[in-house]
Structure formats: C-alpha cells, structure tokens
Amino acid sequence: MTYVLHNRLGSGGFAIEAVLELAEIPYRLELIESAPGSHLPDGAAAMNPWRQIPVLECPDGAVVTETAAILFYLAEKHGSLREGPNLYVEDSAAFYRWAVFLSVNVYEGFLRMVYPERYLGAGSADVSALRKAASARIGDAFKLIEDLLSETQFICGDRMSPVDIYCAMLFSWHRKRDEFPRCIALTERVARHPLVAPVWRKNFDHWLDREWADG
Ligand SMILES: N[C@@H](CCC(=O)N[C@@H](CS)C(=O)NCC(=O)O)C(=O)O
C-alpha cells in the first residue's frame, strides 16, 4: 500500500503533494470534486470528521490531518524531507516553530476570510470587518517571515525545507503582496522548482495569478 493524499484542486493539499514530489515518496492522489472556498461534500466527513483537507492515508493505515502535522509525520518517517537532495531542514526548531506559526496564524486567518460565517455569532452581519481584521493579521504574520528571510534564504536556513513549500502556498493566496519582496522571491523559487512547477500549475493556474510558475 502507498500513501493516499486527499485534496481538491487549488486547496491546501498542494503543499503535501509538492513535498511528496520533492521527497520522491510514492503516493496516489484522490481529488474531491468541489470548488476552492466552498464547503466539502458530506462524504468528506468519513475520512475527516472536521471535514477539511488535506487528509493523508498512510501505508500502515494511519490517517493524518492538519497540514503541519502531515509535514511533521512525513519528516519523521522519511529522511528525504529532512536531508534530501531537494528538501533539507537545517534548523529543526525553526521547522516546527514556523510550520505551526503558519497553520495557526496564516491558514486559520484565510479560513476567517473564506468562511466568515463560522467565526461570527448567529445574526452578525459584520463580515467585512472580520475579513479586514483577518487580512491585516495575515499581513502581520508575513511581516515576521519577511524579516526572517533577511537573514537566511529560506525559512529554516539556506536550503529549501517543507516549511518553505507551505509558506509559498499560503503567500500565493495573499492579495497584498507588494510590501513582502522576500516572500515573493521565496514563492517564485518554490513555484518554479522543476518538481513543483507541474503541481503548482495543476492546482493554481485556473484561479490564481499565473506569474509565479511561468517565470
Ligand atoms: N487546519 C487545517 C486547515 C485545512 C483547511 O482549511 N482546508 C480547506 C481547504 S484549503 C478546507 O478543507 N476547506 C473546506 C472547509 O473548511 O469546509 C490544516 O492546517 O490543514
């Protein structure tokens, strides 16, 4: 049995698929037919009661959800995520720290923007205030990453790690990019990597800016 990655095009499973490619780990992709930004169909609850993707089914039958947890799990099982030719974790404290940081502050922020009804009390109409605050908070988080990238080329050092792939995906979803030139450069490096570019195009070309992967 091999890994089975459940995703839908344009969604968070991109980061896992790109990492599996870079780490040269065999997997099968199961795509859910659903538009990015919509709710997942009822059947999704069978694999993850929280009804979110990505979901990774492992060869031993384990099921892992939550993007950061999937990255940690794969890094524990496969040296090619930590010390491989395409991915390298120079600083494991940074790896754990920034992967969780991205999950709780950035990914969760996007969910506030996309699914505001989940975060507002019943009857509240202040969707635009919530979206504005979430976008500002996401910007604050990217400012920290931007500052970090003034010292190293990538988030965990001078080599690309799984956390860079995760960050590039999230940054490509952010609309206010001009003040983050280092995050732009990081995203371009990730999107244009020969092993990542086909996955990037497959996921994002139809609804996000094309320029990242076209280089
Ligand atoms: N905390 C989760 C968030 C995953 C997530 O929000 N996935 C989105 C797709 S990008 C999703 O499943 N959306 C459907 C929904 O929330 O109903 C993670 O880090 O993996």
Side-chain angles (χ1 to χ4, degrees):
M1 199 185 142
T2 186
Y3 286 104
V4 182
L5 172 63
H6 298 267
N7 191 28
R8 73 177 165 202
L9 286 180
S11 291
F14 158 84
I16 307 302
E17 188 178 357
V19 163
L20 288 165
E21 288 288 334
L22 288 163
E24 299 174 318
I25 299 168
Y27 67 97
R28 192 177 86 239
L29 182 64
E30 288 283 337
L31 284 177
I32 297 169
E33 283 200 32
S34 154
S38 66
H39 297 268
L40 293 181
D42 288 349
M47 55 177 190
N48 178 4
W50 200 236
R51 286 194 193 204
Q52 286 187 328
I53 41 161
V55 175
L56 186 71
E57 284 182 71
C58 304
D60 64 359
V63 173
V64 193
T65 64
E66 301 297 326
T67 306
I70 297 172
L71 295 178
F72 300 154
Y73 181 87
L74 288 171
E76 183 191 306
K77 299 277 179 197
H78 301 274
S80 53
L81 265 81
R82 299 187 313 270
E83 295 185 347
N86 302 313
L87 292 172
Y88 199 92
V89 176
E90 283 176 45
D91 176 349
S92 59
F95 174 50
Y96 292 114
R97 178 181 178 189
W98 297 111
V100 172
F101 177 86
L102 289 169
S103 284
V104 301
N105 297 306
V106 180
Y107 208 153
E108 185 63 20
F110 283 119
L111 297 185
R112 283 168 207 266
M113 296 176 73
V114 177
Y115 307 105
E117 70 284 354
R118 290 182 190 164
Y119 298 88
L120 292 167
S124 170
D126 216 350
V127 169
S128 72
L130 175 68
R131 285 201 168 119
K132 209 170 154 200
S135 175
R137 193 78 176 140
I138 290 168
D140 291 345
F142 280 126
K143 175 77 174 69
L144 250 68
I145 303 287
E146 183 73 11
D147 291 346
L148 201 70
L149 292 171
S150 68
E151 284 163 31
T152 53
Q153 231 193 323
F154 292 97
I155 294 171
C156 301
D158 285 319
R159 294 174 66 178
M160 194 161 83
S161 81
V163 116
D164 299 299
I165 314 300
Y166 189 19
C167 184
M169 175 187 80
L170 295 170
F171 187 71
S172 79
W173 295 346
H174 191 46
R175 290 292 167 202
K176 296 177 187 157
R177 299 172 188 144
D178 292 351
E179 63 210 87
F180 307 111
R182 297 187 198 100
C183 290
I184 291 175
L186 178 83
T187 304
E188 286 175 348
R189 250 176 283 155
V190 168
R192 292 175 185 168
H193 188 290
L195 291 176
V196 176
V199 186
W200 188 282
R201 278 192 217 101
K202 180 177 70 178
N203 276 279
F204 299 139
D205 253 18
H206 60 298
W207 72 294
L208 281 176
D209 302 348
R210 296 175 60 94
E211 80 263 23
W212 302 108
D214 279 355

